[in-house]
Amino acid sequence: MITAGLASVTFRDRPVDVVVGLAADAGLGVVEWGGDVHVPPGDLTGAARAARLCREHGLAVGTYGSYYKPGHSDPADFAPVLAAAEALGAPRIRVWAGVKSSADVAPAERAAITEDLRRCVDLAAARGLAVTAEHHVSSLTDELGSAVRLLEEVDLVAHWQPRESPEVAECLGELAALLPRLVAVHAFSWGPDGFTERLPLAARDDLWRPLLAVLAQDGRDRDVLLEFVPDDSPEAFRRDAATLLSWLEDVR
């Protein structure tokens, strides 16, 4: 089943209780908590509070979105990330697969990233958590071949999001390749200028309707999380949430 939700980084400048209220009032089912502002690594009190507020509003806790970068961050920095995720009750932790384009990563550097990723996976698994890698430019997931190779090298679950001005066929191909291990998707619509040109989600119904149909076809549990709404506006978010929920009704 696909659960519609909110990535808390969409409203970085708003407190945790407001983020929870926005998600619940929009009829969503899950919040993905970011580790940059809302639930910092090691802040166990804040993590427990976010978890409690979610429960009180009928929301599940999704991915804990950390900014740990295997192979580049201090390995000791993963311990507070893990502690925050556990206190939050998150099922998984998202990390960044390096800081450079996969084409520019030398074999030894890639080996260091994957070795640290395996360490993180083992530490998380000991606490019943999974690890996923941000699907993003300037990382080992910036290109489908490299992302698939990473999933073969490390026991990760998969995360996906579109790039600037995404082509429908290309996105469908990426989803098909990642689908067996895909657990979370970030949903937004961008114009040719990418992050600086945010569109209403419905502006790319040609993209999202077929993508959601693919995500729904195997019946597995996945989160589809709204992110990057125009002008960081609650009104735009509510509109996009209604759009996403209506599309999900169509594929159920």
Side-chain angles (χ1 to χ4, degrees), residues 143-203:
E143 182 271 327
L144 180 59
S146 178
V148 170
R149 178 183 166 191
L150 189 65
L151 291 173
E152 294 170 347
E153 294 169 330
V154 186
D155 187 19
L156 301 168
V157 294
H159 162 80
W160 184 85
Q161 62 187 25
R163 306 294 203 281
E164 294 87 345
S165 297
E167 295 291 334
V168 175
E170 181 180 1
C171 289
L172 288 171
E174 291 185 357
L175 277 195
L178 299 174
L179 201 61
R181 299 171 78 170
L182 187 64
V183 296
V185 168
H186 281 169
F188 49 84
S189 294
W190 283 352
D193 291 335
F195 181 79
T196 62
E197 188 178 358
R198 304 181 187 185
L199 307 175
L201 191 67

Side-chain angles (χ1 to χ4, degrees), residues 206-222:
D206 64 312
L207 172 70
W208 285 107
R209 284 184 180 273
L211 288 178
L212 292 173
V214 170
L215 290 171
Q217 67 187 8
D218 63 5
R220 297 187 184 184
D221 291 339
R222 295 188 175 93

Side-chain angles (χ1 to χ4, degrees), residues 14-39:
R14 297 173 188 266
V16 166
D17 58 336
V18 172
V19 172
V20 169
L22 284 166
D25 291 346
L28 302 183
V30 62
V31 177
E32 172 192 286
W33 289 103
D36 55 345
V37 174
H38 292 123
V39 185

